[in-house]
Amino acid sequence: ALPALVREDVDLVISSDPEALDGVVFTPLFDYEPRFIAASTHPLAKKPFVEAEDFRGQTLIAYPVDRSRLDIFKLLLGPAQVEPAAIRRVELTAVILMLVAAGRGVSVLPDWVVRAVRKSSDYVACPITEQGLTRRMYAATRSEDTARPHIAYFKRLARQEAVKLQRGQA
């Protein structure tokens, strides 16, 4: 998406991975917590938090992006040199949630996704590591466009909605 921003095909890119690019500014939007999610009947569902070793032997259901871009590999499994038994790539969040509920694997999803299913008895979500993990989302824009009204409005709206989600208002 960043090359499309530079080519002026898009006006803004949301990313958790800021890069040093000439003419591109990364503005912090909000923080989020990647959360472990499993079926309520899964053996790991009783744990207050999961660690890298807990993923060994599991089927990890993840979005179809390069593993270096997935929080769980970047922040936990890669540094610990732990490999899940299998990785199942799924494009849609709703399908990931259905597969997890059916006991077909575990996943790691942003806390705002997990909040949407927190009242369901089909799932259990818990922190990754005892301290939890935190990531930051950024709005990437071309330097000359950062102050344009529609860009400024979008960034302000994204921050406001993130606060509402954190307070459970959305």
Side-chain angles (χ1 to χ4, degrees):
L2 290 173
L5 177 68
V6 173
R7 286 190 313 267
E8 298 185 13
D9 292 339
V10 298
D11 290 332
L12 185 140
V13 171
I14 302 219
S15 174
S16 60
D17 299 312
E19 298 178 22
L21 293 171
D22 286 339
V24 175
V25 174
F26 285 83
T27 305
L29 291 177
F30 58 89
D31 293 342
Y32 71 94
E33 182 183 1
R35 304 275 295 185
F36 172 81
I37 186 164
S40 57
T41 57
H42 192 281
L44 293 173
K46 294 178 179 21
K47 293 189 74 167
F49 60 89
V50 294
E51 298 176 305
E53 280 300 319
D54 292 321
F55 287 87
R56 197 179 302 277
Q58 300 298 319
T59 296
L60 178 64
I61 304 169
Y63 295 111
V65 297
D66 187 80
R67 64 193 289 150
S68 66
R69 296 190 41 118
L70 291 169
D71 293 335
I72 192 62
F73 284 103
K74 186 184 319 182
L75 302 174
L76 187 70
L77 300 181
Q81 298 182 341
V82 169
E83 190 66 30
I87 302 169
R88 184 169 184 179
R89 306 289 183 165
V90 177
E91 289 188 23
L92 300 173
T93 302
V95 176
I96 291 174
L97 291 169
M98 285 189 292
L99 290 167
V100 167
R104 304 297 300 262
V106 300
S107 191
V108 173
L109 296 171
D111 55 357
W112 72 79
V113 172
V114 173
R115 274 189 209 102
V117 297
R118 71 176 165 230
K119 293 179 182 172
S120 171
S121 61
D122 295 334
Y123 308 97
V124 170
C126 70
I128 299 168
T129 76
E130 188 171 10
Q131 298 79 27
L133 299 176
T134 301
R135 299 283 288 143
R136 179 161 288 163
M137 294 300 283
Y138 298 85
T141 56
R142 291 179 294 278
S143 302
E144 65 269 16
D145 293 342
T146 299
R148 289 189 181 214
H150 68 286
I151 300 291
Y153 176 77
F154 177 86
K155 292 188 287 189
R156 190 171 52 255
L157 182 63
R159 287 188 195 110
Q160 290 170 349
E161 291 304 309
V163 168
K164 286 181 186 176
L165 277 171
Q166 289 170 348
R167 292 181 181 158
Q169 297 171 339

